[in-house]
Amino acid sequence: MAIVRKAACPLNCWDSCGFQVTIENGRVTKVEGDPDHPITKGKICARGRMLEARTNSPERLMHPLKKVNGQFQEISWEQALDEIAAEMLRIKETYGSTAVLHSHDYANNGILKNLDQRFFNCYGGVTELYGSLCWGSGIEAQKWDFGNAWSHAPNDVLNSRNIIIWGRNVARTNMHFYEKLLEAKKHGSHLYVIDPLYNATAKLADQHISIKPGMDGILAAGIIKEILRLELEDKEFIEQYTHGFADLLQLVNSNSLEQISEMTEVPEEVITKLAYIYGDRPASTYMGLGMQRYENGGNTIRLIDALCAVSGNIGIDGGGANYANLQVGQSFAFDELTLAGRKQSFRQFSIMKQAEEILAAKDPEIKMIFVTCGNPLTQLPDTNVAEKAFSSAGTLVAVDQFMTDTAMLADYVLPAATAFEEEDIYYSSMYHHYVNYGPQLVPSPGEAKPDLWIWTQLADRLGFGADFEFTREEWLNMTLVPLAEKGYSLEALKEQHTLELPVNKIPWQDRKFNTRTGKFEFTSSLGEEKMGNGKLSLAVPKESKWRNPALAQNYPYSLLTIHPMRSNHSQNYHLLGDTVKVKVEIAANIADDRELKNGDFVRVWNNRGEVKGYISILPAAHPNTVNIDEGIWKKFGGSVNQLTSSTESDNGLGSTLYDCLVNLEKIE
Ligand SMILES: Nc1nc2c(c(=O)[nH]1)N[C@H]1C(S)=C(S)[C@@H](COP(=O)(O)OP(=O)(O)OC[C@H]3O[C@@H](n4cnc5c(=O)[nH]c(N)nc54)[C@H](O)[C@@H]3O)O[C@H]1N2
Ligand SMILES: Nc1nc2c(c(=O)[nH]1)N[C@H]1C(S)=C(S)[C@@H](COP(=O)(O)OP(=O)(O)OC[C@H]3O[C@@H](n4cnc5c(=O)[nH]c(N)nc54)[C@H](O)[C@@H]3O)O[C@H]1N2
Ligand code: SF4
Ligand SMILES: [Mo]
């Protein structure tokens, strides 16, 4: 008999949907939206629906595997755990615990996924990663400007007169915000989309503003320049609540509007129009993550923040420099969960540069890499170096649900449970501020086990089993302590399936910023302290004709590698049937210049690598722009990260995945 139970989407996504999952004979048979979820209201995307296929797939990893003479062999959990634990003990005694690298990313938003950190801390402290491939530059940028990265509550967009979607692919990556935009349009709000690609959200807009990739900060500076010329700024806000305005003034006066227009490839009259739009308050800005994956990414987000501040759109209903909503995650306790105090030694690698750092590591060298909740071989920049690095460590352990490109390289592959096979709570610090409950719905197939079981078993063998002797209930309550003080309980969450968290719905309304000066900082004290310079600049991408004319001569096209429609990163390509192939999307001018037509087979290359795929012409894309969606497995043509660079962004904490020049040519 079929039963329907409420659950939650575990995927790393803006939306954090509520689910209704149908279970028949101990199997998940359908995943649908929960109509009672206050934000996601019964609608979910194909990635959510496909969690049924991910759970039931015959390709699921069912048993622990060990590579012997280049071939995987099934082994027992007992053997796998004994051997890995023994190797970890040997490494710790011989080289120290930091000879182990923990490489991870964001596969699953479950709060108990953070217990991997507890495990490695109790082991003595390993080599950890810092920074984020995803949103790192922008988060740091907003910490410099505001003191934190907070967004307005979803419904507030209905108060906006003007809505500017800046580099966010809403229709594809943030579907419930798309629904809100439709509603706001009905209420009479005007919508503007700034993006090099004419994406599905741009189709909804009053106007699509096409921009040269990586030049958004300069555009924001141009708009500020026009706002000041037209005297549309919020003088009171600038005088009372900001720091460093003189520096900003000097900066925007250092270039003419004509120069700005030439560099951004946005017409002067459009820049002026945007000044009027920002001056016509309330104007809300919803930034995406694509435009900060450039070397100048932190500065880009900071200049857009500055534009929102100058125009008086901070801390008001219907306004905001909305990027991420860290206050959601900041509602939970992590220290109790992760026990950072147990670390005896400590080393950090940049997440962007982990491959180079693995290859260069000394004192100690990396002897073991433990990969959890990530697929670095497709998702890290510069795949060729990543492949070398991940093949070089003595022992590579991958915990995953499928035989990914990373798992293929591993010495031990440990089969992990899916979200429907374990209990957890889920939230996303990107958009809305509701936490969802996800019960265990079905048993795992074969011998697949939750990550937490694996940590508990290894902890036992390594002598810190007591640190893992808690029930799921106890673990979850540990994370909820700060909320319990405010009257929240796990019981209530289980009963109601989702709870609204007590966050600030209109951040900075009190105009008390979490910066050193207590003001919004155009010139950042934190930036000054960390990088020796907190001033804004007119920085351009590293791979551009302004920074490197010779490179731009050889590689004339900007390559974007945006998030795929039907997969979260690499997670679904193997479930999409035999039709998966690399699509090389190109602007119309490239097709004309190179005499290419739809379906032509091309090679795209630069001095890091090459990718082959089939042309699809995007008539309205910004000239000289190419896109290849990220996440494609080796067997389907290979990751676009063979072309991308592992350089870090200006503030050291973000990636430069879209700061990438390429060339292309037709092949047979
Ligand atoms: N379908 C789907 N949804 C997802 C994901 C997925 O893999 N698939 N991943 C989730 C995750 S982890 C994340 S981080 C989010 C990301 O969500 P988004 O930020 O929406 O997605 P991105 O693909 O990073 O890029 C967004 C947009 O940035 C634009 N862009 C690129 N460069 C520039 C630029 O220089 N200037 C401007 N103005 N725009 C630029 C791209 O054309 C694209 O339209 O999506 C989440 N949602
Ligand atoms: N070129 C390019 N590269 C990018 C991006 C881009 O836009 N362009 N985007 C970047 C961004 S925004 C992000 S967030 C990263 C994402 O990078 P990753 O998080 O590495 O990407 P995923 O493909 O989601 O890989 C997650 C892996 O974890 C496995 N997994 C799922 N659930 C679990 C679980 O519960 N336990 C365990 N142990 N494993 C699990 C999945 O099967 C999958 O193999 O990629 C980055 N890389
Ligand atoms: S991937 Fe995002 S939009 Fe899709 S079901 Fe999950 S949370 Fe919702
Ligand atoms: Mo991400």
Side-chain angles (χ1 to χ4, degrees):
M1 206 191 65
I3 53 164
V4 177
R5 291 187 63 192
K6 294 199 183 210
C9 184
L11 293 174
N12 174 19
C13 172
W14 297 93
D15 292 59
S16 205
C17 289
F19 280 167
Q20 275 192 344
V21 179
T22 307
I23 302 142
E24 286 172 79
N25 304 320
R27 261 171 83 90
V28 166
T29 54
K30 202 191 240 177
V31 181
E32 294 171 295
D34 173 9
D36 299 328
H37 194 283
I39 300 292
T40 64
K41 294 185 177 159
K43 290 195 179 167
I44 60 167
C45 76
R47 293 166 290 149
R49 277 179 221 290
M50 247 187 280
L51 288 167
E52 180 271 317
R54 270 188 74 85
T55 301
N56 294 322
S57 168
E59 291 175 45
R60 275 284 295 275
L61 293 168
M62 306 273 190
H63 306 280
L65 301 172
K66 178 181 181 179
K67 203 179 267 163
V68 182
N69 300 324
Q71 299 285 324
F72 282 116
Q73 288 181 359
E74 264 178 47
I75 56 171
S76 66
W77 270 111
E78 210 59 25
Q79 185 188 345
L81 296 163
D82 286 349
E83 288 183 11
I84 293 167
E87 183 58 6
M88 288 185 80
L89 279 178
R90 187 190 74 83
I91 289 172
K92 188 172 166 177
E93 273 163 22
T94 321
Y95 310 99
S97 60
T98 55
V100 175
L101 169 73
H102 177 211
S103 178
H104 58 92
D105 214 314
Y106 294 115
N108 178 312
N109 275 342
I111 206 161
L112 299 187
K113 293 294 156 181
N114 293 290
L115 286 166
D116 53 3
Q117 292 175 47
R118 183 186 187 97
F119 172 79
F120 290 111
N121 290 339
C122 292
Y123 169 67
V126 293
T127 299
E128 301 172 355
L129 302 177
Y130 71 87
S132 163
L133 298 169
C134 173
W135 61 0
S137 326
I139 295 285
E140 181 69 359
Q142 294 214 316
K143 286 184 176 166
W144 289 18
D145 299 340
F146 297 94
N148 219 324
W150 292 345
S151 286
H152 289 221
N155 275 334
D156 183 57
V157 74
L158 304 178
N159 297 319
S160 305
R161 203 192 296 262
N162 293 305
I163 304 165
I164 297 92
I165 305 294
W166 206 323
R168 192 187 298 188
N169 199 358
V170 179
R172 183 186 288 195
T173 65
N174 189 188
M175 65 176 281
H176 298 92
F177 184 45
Y178 185 79
E179 300 285 323
K180 283 270 178 276
L181 292 179
L182 291 174
E183 219 179 311
K185 276 205 73 155
K186 268 200 206 126
H187 280 221
S189 312
H190 294 289
L191 182 66
Y192 303 89
V193 168
I194 307 177
D195 204 298
L197 302 182
Y198 182 70
N199 55 30
T201 318
K203 289 183 190 150
L204 195 68
D206 293 53
Q207 189 172 348
H208 168 229
I209 293 118
S210 178
I211 184 168
K212 177 84 182 158
M215 300 305 284
D216 304 85
I218 313 256
L219 174 62
I223 305 170
I224 295 173
K225 191 178 175 73
E226 282 297 88
I227 287 179
L228 296 173
R229 181 179 68 82
L230 299 162
E231 298 189 30
L232 296 166
E233 75 273 25
D234 183 341
K235 292 199 180 63
E236 191 203 323
F237 183 82
I238 294 170
E239 267 161 36
Q240 294 189 28
Y241 305 111
T242 71
H243 166 78
F245 184 64
D247 290 340
L248 177 68
L249 209 56
Q250 201 178 15
L251 184 74
V252 300
N253 286 334
S254 67
N255 249 350
S256 70
L257 190 65
E258 193 188 349
Q259 283 169 318
I260 289 174
S261 168
E262 200 184 303
M263 291 179 85
T264 57
E265 299 176 4
V266 177
E268 284 181 49
E269 59 277 13
V270 174
I271 303 178
T272 308
K273 181 174 175 186
L274 284 165
Y276 282 112
I277 289 165
Y278 269 93
D280 185 19
R281 292 193 288 270
S284 56
T285 304
Y286 287 85
M287 294 174 253
L289 280 42
M291 71 179 158
Q292 47 93 58
R293 297 193 190 108
Y294 292 82
E295 202 205 32
N296 57 338
N299 189 68
T300 294
I301 301 296
R302 294 197 61 215
L303 275 165
I304 297 173
D305 290 347
L307 165 59
C308 298
V310 166
S311 59
N313 281 301
I314 298 301
I316 62 168
D317 290 5
N322 301 281
Y323 174 73
N325 205 3
L326 292 191
Q327 50 183 344
V328 179
Q330 288 161 356
S331 305
F332 303 94
F334 288 98
D335 293 352
E336 263 294 279
L337 208 60
T338 59
L339 292 182
R342 289 297 177 81
K343 251 182 262 189
Q344 285 144 16
S345 40
F346 182 63
R347 178 164 68 178
Q348 282 194 323
F349 288 173
S350 146
I351 190 167
M352 279 61 74
K353 292 212 165 290
Q354 60 186 288
E356 280 110 306
E357 301 227 47
I358 291 166
L359 293 170
K362 293 214 163 51
D363 304 324
E365 290 176 12
I366 295 297
K367 297 293 178 188
M368 177 186 269
I369 306 176
F370 225 116
V371 179
T372 67
C373 289
N375 184 8
L377 261 290
T378 51
Q379 297 309 117
L380 283 188
D382 209 347
T383 316
N384 293 319
V385 180
E387 187 157 354
K388 259 186 224 126
F390 282 78
S391 317
S392 75
T395 307
L396 176 63
V397 182
V399 186
D400 208 305
Q401 298 150 348
F402 290 92
M403 190 51 83
T404 62
D405 288 349
T406 306
M408 286 293 285
L409 281 189
D411 300 291
Y412 292 91
V413 179
L414 306 181
T418 66
F420 299 143
E421 295 156 11
E422 60 178 326
E423 180 190 29
D424 210 331
I425 63 178
Y426 301 89
Y427 67 86
S428 161
S429 291
M430 296 173 80
Y431 176 53
H432 69 72
H433 55 282
Y434 289 75
V435 56
N436 302 330
Y437 175 68
Q440 183 186 352
L441 300 175
V442 291
S444 294
E447 296 181 286
K449 296 286 184 193
D451 295 81
L452 177 52
W453 181 88
I454 299 172
W455 305 131
T456 307
Q457 290 292 318
L458 284 173
D460 257 345
R461 286 166 172 78
L462 290 165
F464 48 90
D467 288 318
F468 279 81
E469 274 174 14
F470 299 92
T471 61
R472 287 253 167 191
E473 187 102 355
E474 286 166 334
W475 288 121
L476 290 173
N477 274 317
M478 232 182 250
T479 70
L480 291 174
V481 169
L483 287 163
E485 290 158 8
K486 295 175 182 156
Y488 287 72
S489 70
L490 185 58
E491 287 63 44
L493 178 57
K494 283 185 183 181
E495 210 179 285
Q496 294 168 45
H497 303 284
T498 185
L499 288 178
E500 182 174 14
L501 294 167
V503 302
N504 203 332
K505 291 185 187 170
I506 310 288
W508 320 119
Q509 202 164 24
D510 58 6
R511 289 167 171 34
K512 289 191 182 117
F513 297 94
N514 292 349
T515 55
R516 193 131 330 140
T517 56
K519 297 184 171 188
F520 176 92
E521 297 193 354
F522 294 117
T523 296
S524 161
S525 331
L526 187 61
E528 170 72 38
E529 180 193 304
K530 282 186 157 182
M531 313 291 284
N533 182 3
K535 283 192 189 175
L536 290 163
S537 75
L538 297 179
V540 294
K542 183 177 183 197
E543 300 201 354
S544 62
K545 64 180 179 197
W546 304 281
R547 292 274 298 279
N548 194 339
L551 188 78
Q553 192 86 46
N554 290 336
Y555 304 109
Y557 307 127
S558 301
L559 175 71
L560 309 182
T561 60
I562 70 170
H563 292 203
M565 181 74 190
R566 291 164 70 206
S567 183
N568 229 43
H569 313 297
S570 68
Q571 293 198 37
N572 286 353
Y573 283 99
H574 58 307
L575 306 171
L576 296 174
D578 304 330
T579 54
V580 174
K581 51 185 186 180
V582 177
K583 188 156 76 167
V584 180
E585 297 178 306
I586 57 171
N589 80 301
I590 305 176
D592 292 347
D593 294 352
R594 299 300 179 94
E595 294 179 3
L596 291 167
K597 55 183 191 318
N598 283 326
D600 281 352
F601 194 51
V602 293
R603 172 173 98 90
V604 184
W605 82 97
N606 60 20
N607 45 25
R608 286 177 290 267
E610 76 168 21
V611 172
K612 293 174 185 161
Y614 298 88
I615 287 292
S616 168
I617 301 166
L618 302 178
H622 200 81
N624 299 317
T625 306
V626 178
N627 175 60
I628 301 174
D629 284 357
E630 52 114 340
I632 298 183
W633 300 34
K634 221 175 190 171
K635 63 180 175 192
F636 301 121
S639 171
V640 73
N641 282 319
Q642 291 169 97
L643 298 165
T644 59
S645 144
S646 62
T647 303
E648 291 151 347
S649 68
D650 45 10
N651 57 34
L653 295 177
S655 64
T656 60
L657 291 160
Y658 298 6
D659 194 332
C660 180
L661 290 177
V662 296
N663 204 341
L664 57 79
E665 67 182 4
K666 189 170 164 175
I667 49 174
E668 287 319 316

